[in-house]
Amino acid sequence: MDTTATMLLYGSKPPTPEHLPSTPVKPSEWGAPPHADPWTPTANLRMLISAASPDIRDREMKKVLFRPIENERAVEDVEVDGPCQYHAVEEGERKPSRKQKSLGLLCQKFLALYPDYPTSDTISISLDEVSTSLGVERRRIYDIINVLESLMIVGRVAKNQYVWYGRRRLGSTLAELQGMGRQQRYHLHMEQAGEGGHREGATTHTPEGGEGDSTAASTRKDKSLRIMSQKFVMLFLVSRTQTVTLDVAAKILIEESQDPASHSKYKTKVRRLYDIANVLTSLGLIKKVHVREERGRKPAFKWIGPADFHSSHEDSEAVAAIALPGGRKQKLARHASFSVVPTSVASQRRVNSAPSSPRRESVDYSRRCVSSSAVCRLQFGTTVTGVSHPSGGLQSPTHSDGNSLLCSPGLAPLAVPVHPEGSYVGPLSPQPPFPPHPHHMAYLPSLSQASVVMLYGGPAAQDGLDCFTTEVQRSPGSGSRESILGKRKQDEGVEEKRESPETELSDR
DNA sequence: TAATCCCGCCATTGT
DNA sequence: ACAATGGCGGGATTA
């Protein structure tokens, strides 16, 4: 493993011994659940909730979540809002529209499986479980994992095994990327953007002379996705407007690439950028926009993620306190082409010393699962709209209708639909950088199966962890469905359920 | 038509 | 050699 020159992804310690192999499985092979023990939604759930340790709960929850789900082809399926989710074909035949298979959506599902701010770095991710539970081929998981890895939201441990870090390190990672971005003079590159479409290469070429010092020649096709992802993010972080157009990004990335034949790869580059952009969008770090220009408008992306990480206390802030067992700190992945005095960078970043005040959100928001678990039954096709109180739990969700759920401020709308063979439907709309609303509204993408939804608070929870569960089950007659969906919006602030999470994240 | 980007073949890299 | 990763670009979908 060519540590130095290429990726320092694993910090001082490269992946570890490979345990837990596990072989890929074709989605088509998920016939029946592995260990078919009749599981009762409620029972399981109860178990989960009662679990004293949040970690245990998480783990258990994961276990449940990873039950294989019925394949996509499935007829009855998640009913996502929006105009055409299915390609109206023969009656009875519903072809999952392309949108339903988008990487962004998949990523949303993936992210929803794990807490944004885990309290420990022990959450492991198994590619097989994930690909199985999400119902996609491994290849796609790699796409997601790669960019998550580039931001250290996950880390690789061994083959098939990754660790989930969540957004805890995001701050420091971004800070570092920003530093590297400046070092690369990316901000200069960006200026020469717009205009008649011709870029000149006169841009200050970083003294990367032949990419990274001697050290191991360009490690073949380096994990370009990871690298590209980091560079892409860097562009945002050094951009004054925090906006980056696809073509500019592609050009810069191509110029960077030491690969001579890369000029003919513009198209491919753009394809990759879209892939990356999709997961970054799912992460709520960027959003699609358009930049005005004489020539018309060009597609671009705007950074909407945190932008205050560069301060001193920055990064791990609170997190630092949770220091990992081995004390090993991961180093940001770097690529040769980033080089220029390898090591350096904003390296001297964080000094373990817990800087005075840990800033917002105290380190230990003891996850006491306070609130009662209000369980109520809903009709198939409907969702809950509940209001919770950070202090006491939650006012039993007034399961009226609609696909929304109101939470009190601080209650991270982390919901994890759980059910036997059911496809999890997607994350809830407000993601961690919570909006200042008095109440958070979480959208629960429609549930198509009888399911149990568990919602619990995250680090944002100011008074502990609230959680409650809701059972949604299929009603005998789908007739009621219409009526229910029809009426709506009686709650404050709740508006038409028109928009679905993904729809609002990326306006097409 | 242009913008997006799914899909999966098959080259690489790891064990 | 076999399995895990992940370039890459054809061509289908959407906007």
Side-chain angles (χ1 to χ4, degrees):
Chain A
M1 175 154 289
D2 49 297
T3 39
T4 16
T6 19
M7 314 280 294
L8 304 181
L9 252 190
Y10 313 108
S12 53
K13 189 172 183 295
T16 36
E18 319 288 29
H19 308 101
L20 331 159
S22 123
T23 317
V25 183
K26 285 276 187 136
S28 50
E29 296 174 37
W30 322 323
H35 40 312
D37 61 75
W39 90 291
T40 326
T42 338
N44 254 309
L45 187 65
R46 201 159 295 142
M47 189 261 287
L48 295 184
I49 297 177
S50 58
S53 157
D55 289 312
I56 293 177
R57 197 178 55 238
D58 282 341
R59 190 144 309 139
E60 290 309 312
M61 180 141 63
K62 216 167 48 177
K63 219 157 94 187
V64 176
L65 277 169
F66 287 134
R67 298 255 175 166
I69 67 177
E70 82 274 50
N71 204 320
E72 347 84 62
R73 283 307 167 214
V75 226
E76 48 74 54
D77 201 29
V78 190
E79 183 207 351
V80 185
D81 52 354
C84 62
Q85 50 227 37
Y86 293 111
H87 230 175
V89 191
E90 304 302 294
E91 68 301 301
E93 279 309 304
R94 329 201 101 189
K95 188 173 75 184
S97 125
R98 200 184 206 209
K99 265 191 291 193
Q100 295 174 62
K101 294 188 275 190
S102 73
L103 203 109
L105 187 56
L106 178 65
C107 185
Q108 296 268 98
K109 296 176 183 173
F110 184 109
L111 295 176
L113 295 177
Y114 309 91
D116 281 323
Y117 299 87
T119 49
S120 69
D121 285 344
T122 57
I123 300 177
S124 75
I125 302 171
S126 159
L127 291 186
D128 297 303
E129 294 178 334
V130 175
S131 68
T132 296
S133 70
L134 295 184
V136 298
E137 294 167 12
R138 304 184 114 226
R139 183 69 196 71
R140 300 282 75 78
I141 301 299
Y142 285 126
D143 287 336
I144 294 173
I145 283 282
N146 282 335
V147 353
L148 292 185
E149 200 178 355
S150 78
L151 295 178
M152 287 212 267
I153 288 177
V154 303
R156 200 190 127 116
V157 176
K159 72 173 183 180
N160 272 310
Q161 290 291 290
Y162 286 79
V163 223
W164 175 261
Y165 297 130
R167 308 170 104 104
R168 295 204 333 248
R169 309 173 177 216
L170 200 54
S172 57
T173 300
L174 294 178
E176 195 158 338
L177 283 177
Q178 184 178 55
M180 293 165 80
R182 292 193 173 123
Q183 209 171 139
Q184 294 310 120
R185 319 288 172 94
Y186 276 160
H187 48 304
L188 296 184
H189 286 58
M190 314 238 10
E191 326 240 306
Q192 54 106 60
E195 227 29 80
H198 33 287
R199 48 45 165 102
E200 29 57 51
T203 52
T204 46
H205 224 314
T206 321
E208 50 73 50
E211 119 289 315
D213 32 321
S214 51
T215 351
S218 52
T219 307
R220 302 313 166 190
K221 292 62 189 324
D222 283 285
K223 330 308 188 182
S224 87
L225 214 100
R226 275 196 278 261
I227 302 308
M228 272 184 76
S229 171
Q230 297 189 325
K231 289 183 176 177
F232 190 41
V233 170
M234 281 160 64
L235 293 181
F236 287 101
L237 302 182
V238 302
S239 165
R240 185 170 297 303
T241 64
Q242 300 227 290
T243 301
V244 178
T245 56
L246 275 181
D247 68 316
V248 170
K251 284 168 186 163
I252 293 178
L253 292 178
I254 286 177
E255 286 175 13
E256 288 280 305
S257 164
Q258 68 279 33
D259 179 3
S262 61
H263 288 305
S264 60
K265 313 251 173 115
Y266 179 85
K267 250 193 114 183
T268 296
K269 227 52 170 181
V270 173
R271 285 205 196 87
R272 291 319 135 225
L273 281 175
Y274 275 121
D275 292 342
I276 295 170
N278 278 330
V279 354
L280 291 181
T281 296
S282 294
L283 282 167
L285 295 179
I286 65 174
K287 72 174 179 186
K288 193 174 187 320
V289 298
H290 279 97
V291 289
R292 279 276 164 253
E293 217 173 64
E294 306 87 64
R295 308 282 170 257
R297 50 185 234 167
K298 299 161 66 119
F301 290 93
K302 182 176 180 56
W303 183 261
I304 55 174
D308 58 322
F309 49 78
H310 53 290
S311 46
S312 51
H313 66 292
E314 43 109 62
D315 83 306
S316 4
E317 41 211 331
V319 185
I322 308 175
L324 351 186
R328 43 187 287 216
K329 210 12 182 183
Q330 283 208 320
K331 192 66 165 55
L332 182 60
R334 195 167 319 160
H335 183 279
S337 62
F338 286 163
S339 60
V340 182
V341 194
T343 42
S344 68
V345 188
S347 49
Q348 17 59 303
R349 62 196 202 306
R350 68 172 287 278
V351 193
N352 75 64
S353 63
S356 47
S357 47
R359 202 111 213 303
R360 40 85 162 308
E361 54 194 43
S362 53
V363 189
D364 71 316
Y365 41 94
S366 50
R367 331 182 92 210
R368 54 210 165 79
C369 181
V370 271
S371 83
S372 56
S373 57
V375 182
C376 61
R377 294 173 176 298
L378 300 176
Q379 296 247 323
F380 166 59
T382 70
T383 327
V384 296
T385 295
V387 182
S388 65
H389 284 312
S391 48
L394 174 155
Q395 293 181 350
S396 135
T398 53
H399 59 293
S400 44
D401 61 85
N403 287 5
S404 61
L405 207 155
L406 281 171
C407 314
S408 61
L411 177 71
L414 263 183
V416 184
V418 190
H419 64 65
E421 39 189 347
S423 42
Y424 158 44
V425 275
L428 302 175
S429 113
Q431 291 281 323
F434 302 110
H437 292 352
H439 286 87
H440 290 309
M441 180 160 72
Y443 288 102
L444 261 185
S446 52
L447 302 171
S448 62
Q449 298 262 308
S451 55
V452 174
V453 177
M454 190 166 149
L455 185 142
Y456 57 96
Q462 33 190 263
D463 195 45
L465 184 72
D466 286 319
C467 78
F468 80 93
T469 60
T470 302
E471 242 180 80
V472 180
Q473 48 189 290
R474 177 169 242 128
S475 62
S478 56
S480 56
R481 175 106 149 260
E482 259 56 296
S483 56
I484 298 175
L485 291 177
K487 74 164 194 171
R488 182 147 209 340
K489 96 181 322 172
Q490 5 107 253
D491 283 302
E492 4 123 52
V494 184
E495 54 173 298
E496 267 322 284
K497 54 156 269 181
R498 268 300 37 158
E499 312 298 22
S500 69
E502 60 280 21
T503 309
E504 45 182 62
L505 284 180
S506 65
D507 76 356
R508 277 220 168 196

